[in-house]
Amino acid sequence: MDGPYLRLEETGDVRPLPEEVTTIGRGEGADIRLNDPSVSQLHAELVRRGPYVYVVDLGLSRNGTRVNGRPIARRVLEEGDVVSFGNARCRIGGLPSEQLSPDIELRRGAAPELTRRELDVLTALCQPALSEEAFVAPATARDIAEALVVTEAAVKQHLLRLYQKFRIPEGQNRRTRLANEVVALGLVRPMPVTGSSRRAS
């Protein structure tokens, strides 16, 4: 098989990675679905840069992502690496056999500078996912406006600037892509629900 692929160890199925970004999860919207209860609805992304691939854990599951047994947030993959999404083990293949040069930049860029209000907007955007083990849709502009006690028009202006800062292209699910990027960069972290968690009134 030409190009990168992911082999599911439990079934032996081989899934090519033809797109720039391939989503991994248990939900129907994931590009590669893993039917394992330890995998969240939207668990991780495999991102192609030329012949290379790196994995991004989206931070939306308690079970996380591991490469060769080590928990990761983002990592460039090499031929034969074992990637575990929760308890679902997969193996990456079809990558260049030579070692990666340290000057090859395959990771996502550092987070852009944000104003306090922009960070507030991002936190409100991701709020629906903050206390959920599985990914849910991010907040709407109206939801954010109500949470921050500002106008919906003001929120939309902030979102437009944030799309530009994070280089989120136009298209469907733009808010979702922004929320995924923010969580992957660690700017907003999901928090597991506990019995003692306080809920805002």
Side-chain angles (χ1 to χ4, degrees):
M1 177 180 295
D2 293 334
Y5 62 85
L6 194 69
R7 183 186 302 276
L8 313 186
E9 291 207 340
E10 183 177 359
T11 63
D13 290 347
V14 175
R15 307 291 178 84
L17 305 175
E19 305 298 334
E20 181 176 331
V21 178
T22 300
T23 55
I24 310 292
R26 198 175 75 248
E28 293 184 1
D31 297 321
I32 296 179
R33 294 185 65 188
L34 300 175
N35 188 23
D36 187 299
S38 67
V39 177
S40 66
Q41 298 290 314
L42 186 59
H43 196 107
E45 291 178 339
L46 293 172
V47 182
R48 288 187 60 170
R49 290 292 181 267
Y52 303 104
V53 175
Y54 66 96
V55 61
V56 180
D57 181 82
L58 295 179
L60 298 170
S61 170
R62 295 190 184 97
N63 300 308
T65 300
R66 300 182 304 281
V67 175
N68 300 327
R70 290 189 172 187
I72 58 93
R74 293 178 296 280
R75 177 165 166 174
V76 178
L77 297 175
E78 297 186 44
E79 179 72 14
D81 278 347
V82 175
V83 187
S84 300
F85 307 100
N87 295 327
R89 286 165 53 94
C90 305
R91 190 177 296 271
I92 193 77
L95 301 180
S97 57
E98 70 271 14
Q99 288 189 336
L100 296 177
S101 170
D103 61 352
I104 296 177
E105 180 54 53
L106 299 175
R107 295 176 301 172
R108 294 188 175 188
E113 290 188 13
L114 300 172
T115 66
R116 179 64 180 271
R117 178 54 79 183
E118 287 172 341
L119 189 55
D120 289 343
V121 169
L122 290 176
T123 300
L125 174 73
C126 299
Q127 187 63 41
L130 291 180
S131 60
E132 297 289 339
E133 181 176 358
F135 181 80
V136 295
T140 65
R142 177 176 294 181
D143 293 335
I144 297 171
E146 291 178 355
L148 301 181
V149 195
V150 296
T151 66
E152 190 172 343
V155 170
K156 289 180 178 178
Q157 287 300 315
H158 282 300
L159 286 173
L160 285 174
R161 285 196 293 271
L162 288 165
Y163 293 144
Q164 293 173 350
K165 284 190 173 185
F166 286 90
R167 291 178 286 187
I168 306 297
E170 293 185 6
Q172 293 184 337
N173 301 321
R174 206 176 187 190
R175 282 183 298 107
T176 300
R177 299 293 301 166
L178 176 60
N180 289 347
E181 183 75 9
V182 168
V183 172
L185 288 171
L187 297 177
V188 176
R189 296 184 179 277
M191 298 176 295
V193 175
T194 64
S196 59
S197 295
R198 294 182 179 179
R199 295 184 179 273
S201 57

